[in-house]
Amino acid sequence: MTGDPIRRALDDVWYCVGESRSLRPGGMRSVSLGEEAVVVGREESGALFALRDRCPHRGMALSAGRIVDGNLVCPFHGWQFRPDGACAAIPALARRDDANFASVRLARFAVAEKSGLIWVHASANPAGANPDAAPPIPEVDFAYCGQLVEILEVEASFDLVALSFVDPAHVAYVHDSWWWRPSKTMKEKVKHFAPSPFGFTMTSHTAKTASLAYRLLGSIPEVEIEFRLPGVRLERITAGEKRLANYTFASPLANGRTALINAMYWNIPGLNLLKPVARPLMRQFLGQDRDVLQIAQRGLDRKPAMVLMGESDVQSQWYFSLKREFLRSRETGAAFVNPLEPRELRWRS
């Protein structure tokens, strides 16, 4: 990934690239991590692998090939690669060829599955990456019986999409829907924040203005919202024994685009009956963000400077502070030190 470090997606972090169910044993597909193309596949054993999606021979996308006897076969000349990236065969070589292909390898990326999602560790140098030092992959901390995932591509920068996760002022205007939170209910909010690993958390509070989605839980819930690098928003909702998690992620795509991913989990069996209704509402909600972000990006393309003002924009300033500290820690080899302090914030929404 290239460009101004503060104005691009981070390397050496995990990004969500899709649902686990999208890859069956023996299947594979291409995903983008910024300008890096990665082929993610699943072995017959169920194990995942992630390799650079470019055959070193003639640059062919290996994701256009197939898996045969456990090896990834290039569709151009049949070169074969094992899931660890090592070249296993070059069919065109004659017996008297003295070419040694043992040193031919594909760059390998760390890959993991958590809570029904696939994550790939992005690094400009996969061989020297340290996934354990990255912000942890989000997991659901309760036994869920339902899951709903939607993914949209947004023609906007990673930063702009990630900033929408910590922008409370946009909700009343962008998401002014009958089923969510109409703008006529705007009032001053007071929230308390504390630093958390690689980010900050809006500490648990009672949702005084309950949306329709909250009222489905049967009571006014307690809500905690965590943001962490690189672009992860974790909303945890509790109403007695009922639990609901609303997780949102940004993942960088090629050509300055960004994937906007929303995953909801719940432990309430009755909510499974509402999935046919919930899915289009989730798409509408995400589509509202996508549409406004794409228009805003065109304005930033003409003049990239942002004017951040007031306490409603403090979380956006924190985002850039966290990125700077993360980059400093990588450059110096020092441990990441969260630069934030506990604070009360007020805004109208």
Side-chain angles (χ1 to χ4, degrees):
M1 301 177 190
T2 59
D4 179 359
I6 298 297
R7 295 294 181 181
R8 61 166 170 79
L10 294 173
D11 297 323
D12 291 333
V13 292
W14 293 94
Y15 289 110
C16 181
V17 297
E19 291 187 77
S20 295
R21 66 177 186 174
S22 67
L23 275 181
R24 298 182 181 277
M28 60 182 176
R29 64 185 180 89
S30 182
V31 302
S32 295
L33 294 176
E35 301 305 317
E36 182 75 81
V38 178
V39 56
V40 179
R42 189 183 298 279
E43 300 177 56
E44 291 296 338
S45 66
L48 291 174
F49 63 85
L51 304 169
R52 179 163 286 150
D53 193 12
R54 186 175 69 247
C55 182
H57 182 212
R58 302 287 176 88
M60 183 67 185
L62 294 166
S63 57
R66 56 200 177 102
I67 296 176
V68 178
D69 296 330
N71 290 335
L72 180 53
V73 180
C74 177
F76 201 173
H77 297 91
W79 285 33
Q80 297 183 25
F81 298 89
R82 291 193 290 268
D84 65 0
C87 185
I90 300 178
L93 291 181
R95 289 185 179 179
R96 65 181 185 181
D97 268 320
D98 60 1
N100 179 7
F101 58 81
S103 62
V104 178
R105 300 188 66 90
L106 300 172
R108 188 181 185 186
F109 296 80
V111 60
E113 288 183 275
K114 301 287 185 181
S115 302
L117 299 174
I118 300 173
W119 296 78
V120 174
H121 184 266
S123 174
N125 177 22
N130 184 11
D132 293 336
I137 299 173
E139 294 187 72
V140 179
D141 61 358
F142 60 88
Y144 58 90
C145 66
Q147 177 184 12
L148 189 61
V149 179
E150 281 294 323
I151 303 174
L152 295 182
E153 290 190 9
V154 185
E155 298 283 345
S157 71
F158 182 89
D159 271 346
L160 192 57
V161 174
L163 286 173
S164 72
F165 301 167
V166 292
D167 175 20
H170 85 282
V171 175
Y173 296 94
V174 177
H175 303 300
D176 188 7
S177 304
W178 65 268
W179 56 274
W180 186 246
R181 193 174 300 168
S183 57
K184 64 183 179 182
T185 65
M186 286 183 64
K187 60 180 66 175
E188 184 165 300
K189 309 289 176 59
V190 181
K191 305 298 181 185
H192 297 272
F193 292 82
S196 51
F198 296 99
F200 52 88
T201 298
M202 180 192 296
T203 54
S204 182
H205 62 281
T206 300
K208 294 183 172 61
T209 303
S211 66
L212 174 61
Y214 286 170
R215 290 199 296 270
L216 289 174
L217 296 176
S219 61
I220 302 299
E222 291 290 317
V223 181
E224 178 185 85
I225 300 175
E226 176 190 354
F227 176 86
R228 72 175 69 150
L229 293 175
V232 172
R233 181 185 186 273
L234 308 174
E235 183 174 5
R236 305 179 181 98
I237 303 163
T238 304
E241 297 298 318
K242 298 176 181 177
R243 303 286 302 276
L244 189 150
N246 185 32
Y247 289 180
T248 313
F249 318 113
S251 291
L253 301 174
N255 302 317
R257 296 172 298 121
T258 305
L260 175 59
I261 303 160
N262 193 209
M264 295 187 68
Y265 307 84
W266 54 86
N267 68 351
I268 311 156
L271 291 186
N272 291 327
L273 300 175
L274 299 178
K275 287 179 72 172
V277 176
R279 187 175 294 278
L281 293 179
M282 181 185 284
R283 287 175 180 164
Q284 177 187 339
F285 191 92
L286 295 178
Q288 291 168 341
D289 278 319
R290 176 197 58 206
D291 294 346
V292 74
L293 289 169
Q294 290 180 161
I295 296 171
Q297 183 62 57
R298 292 197 287 271
L300 289 174
D301 287 342
R302 293 190 293 271
K303 185 176 178 60
M306 297 182 188
V307 178
L308 301 179
M309 185 173 296
E311 294 189 29
S312 64
D313 280 339
V314 167
Q315 294 177 68
S316 297
Q317 295 169 343
W318 286 348
Y319 167 74
F320 288 114
S321 295
L322 289 164
K323 284 187 70 174
R324 290 188 183 93
E325 171 56 23
F326 187 87
L327 289 166
R328 184 203 66 80
S329 70
R330 288 299 183 268
E331 290 169 358
T332 63
F336 175 87
V337 178
N338 194 320
L340 308 182
E341 297 181 354
R343 181 170 175 182
E344 175 190 278
L345 295 179
R346 295 172 180 261
W347 63 81
R348 288 181 57 81
S349 66

